[in-house]
Amino acid sequence: MALLATAALAGCAVSGVGAGQDGWAPSPSYSGPVPEFSGPWASEFAEAYRSTTSEVVHTILAKGSITDRDYASVSSAYVQCMSNKGLKAVVTGQFGESTVEGDGDVNAANEACSADFSVISALRYSTSRNPQHLDENEIVVACLIKAKVAPPSYTAKNYAADLETQDFPFSTSVAGFLSCTSDPLGLSTSQ
């Protein structure tokens, strides 16, 4: 029987990977020295660095940016790890989206294989959609108003409250809402 699962890892919490018996296992937080990062996402890079003992992730993050090559490297490692567990994973997007097919415990395999991929995907997603690390609620609301999803009187404070309760005074199933929450600055049409 084939099992199909879709994982958008970009939204996952940052977690670490260390070398286990098969090369992939959860690891404790890192307690060593952390590079001094600069730029709008410096604290998030430092937090991601501290969240793992993975040398692969540390090497990527130490540069202060995540390249397409870095993403391809962790994507390939994720696909190979899932294959080693008898599952076929295909990375379908730029920010950790993937599909998984096969017989077996997809959740357990994903947990064992996705740590490096999750760290890099999540940070890549955040830095790509909001490079200057502007206030998230403000940029989403500005987009919602521009797209005429929300009224001009709608504020970032309104959005924060509505986000918490998941009770919005407008439809969240319209394309404008989905577009504004995934790409509020309109930086990519492929997200």
Side-chain angles (χ1 to χ4, degrees), residues 5 26 38 43 45 88 95-96:
S38 62
S43 64
F45 269 80
K88 180 183 178 189
F95 304 111

PDB file of all heavy atoms in Angstrom, residues 5 26 38 43 45 88 95-96:
ATOM      1  N   ALA A   5       2.222  11.545   1.747  1.00  0.00           N
ATOM      2  CA  ALA A   5       2.206  12.621   2.739  1.00  0.00           C
ATOM      3  C   ALA A   5       2.878  13.834   2.138  1.00  0.00           C
ATOM      4  O   ALA A   5       3.804  13.725   1.356  1.00  0.00           O
ATOM      5  CB  ALA A   5       2.952  12.194   4.000  1.00  0.00           C
ATOM      6  N   PRO A  26      18.143  12.838  16.174  1.00  0.00           N
ATOM      7  CA  PRO A  26      18.007  14.109  16.885  1.00  0.00           C
ATOM      8  C   PRO A  26      19.215  14.353  17.778  1.00  0.00           C
ATOM      9  O   PRO A  26      19.809  13.420  18.298  1.00  0.00           O
ATOM     10  CB  PRO A  26      16.737  13.917  17.719  1.00  0.00           C
ATOM     11  CG  PRO A  26      15.986  12.847  17.009  1.00  0.00           C
ATOM     12  CD  PRO A  26      17.031  11.951  16.395  1.00  0.00           C
ATOM     13  N   SER A  38      25.512  39.113  11.463  1.00  0.00           N
ATOM     14  CA  SER A  38      25.077  40.494  11.278  1.00  0.00           C
ATOM     15  C   SER A  38      23.906  40.509  10.308  1.00  0.00           C
ATOM     16  O   SER A  38      23.615  39.515   9.656  1.00  0.00           O
ATOM     17  CB  SER A  38      26.228  41.357  10.750  1.00  0.00           C
ATOM     18  OG  SER A  38      26.642  40.885   9.478  1.00  0.00           O
ATOM     19  N   SER A  43      19.862  37.382  14.730  1.00  0.00           N
ATOM     20  CA  SER A  43      19.463  36.615  15.915  1.00  0.00           C
ATOM     21  C   SER A  43      18.854  35.270  15.534  1.00  0.00           C
ATOM     22  O   SER A  43      19.050  34.270  16.230  1.00  0.00           O
ATOM     23  CB  SER A  43      18.515  37.420  16.806  1.00  0.00           C
ATOM     24  OG  SER A  43      17.313  37.694  16.143  1.00  0.00           O
ATOM     25  N   PHE A  45      19.680  33.489  12.822  1.00  0.00           N
ATOM     26  CA  PHE A  45      20.797  32.640  12.423  1.00  0.00           C
ATOM     27  C   PHE A  45      21.501  32.086  13.664  1.00  0.00           C
ATOM     28  O   PHE A  45      21.838  30.893  13.715  1.00  0.00           O
ATOM     29  CB  PHE A  45      21.784  33.400  11.531  1.00  0.00           C
ATOM     30  CG  PHE A  45      21.487  33.296  10.063  1.00  0.00           C
ATOM     31  CD1 PHE A  45      20.505  34.085   9.482  1.00  0.00           C
ATOM     32  CD2 PHE A  45      22.178  32.415   9.257  1.00  0.00           C
ATOM     33  CE1 PHE A  45      20.216  33.986   8.130  1.00  0.00           C
ATOM     34  CE2 PHE A  45      21.901  32.301   7.897  1.00  0.00           C
ATOM     35  CZ  PHE A  45      20.917  33.093   7.338  1.00  0.00           C
ATOM     36  N   LYS A  88       9.952   7.080  -0.694  1.00  0.00           N
ATOM     37  CA  LYS A  88      10.366   7.948  -1.794  1.00  0.00           C
ATOM     38  C   LYS A  88       9.935   9.375  -1.477  1.00  0.00           C
ATOM     39  O   LYS A  88       8.749   9.696  -1.472  1.00  0.00           O
ATOM     40  CB  LYS A  88       9.731   7.506  -3.109  1.00  0.00           C
ATOM     41  CG  LYS A  88      10.144   8.389  -4.271  1.00  0.00           C
ATOM     42  CD  LYS A  88       9.463   7.986  -5.553  1.00  0.00           C
ATOM     43  CE  LYS A  88       9.901   8.951  -6.653  1.00  0.00           C
ATOM     44  NZ  LYS A  88       9.129   8.767  -7.858  1.00  0.00           N
ATOM     45  N   PHE A  95      11.203  25.852  -0.440  1.00  0.00           N
ATOM     46  CA  PHE A  95      11.277  26.134   0.989  1.00  0.00           C
ATOM     47  C   PHE A  95      10.903  24.946   1.864  1.00  0.00           C
ATOM     48  O   PHE A  95      10.316  25.104   2.919  1.00  0.00           O
ATOM     49  CB  PHE A  95      10.393  27.341   1.310  1.00  0.00           C
ATOM     50  CG  PHE A  95      10.757  28.551   0.502  1.00  0.00           C
ATOM     51  CD1 PHE A  95       9.909  29.025  -0.471  1.00  0.00           C
ATOM     52  CD2 PHE A  95      11.973  29.195   0.682  1.00  0.00           C
ATOM     53  CE1 PHE A  95      10.243  30.130  -1.233  1.00  0.00           C
ATOM     54  CE2 PHE A  95      12.327  30.295  -0.078  1.00  0.00           C
ATOM     55  CZ  PHE A  95      11.466  30.769  -1.033  1.00  0.00           C
ATOM     56  N   GLY A  96      11.226  23.747   1.440  1.00  0.00           N
ATOM     57  CA  GLY A  96      11.013  22.563   2.259  1.00  0.00           C
ATOM     58  C   GLY A  96       9.771  21.764   1.945  1.00  0.00           C
ATOM     59  O   GLY A  96       9.504  20.757   2.579  1.00  0.00           O
TER      60      GLY A  96
END
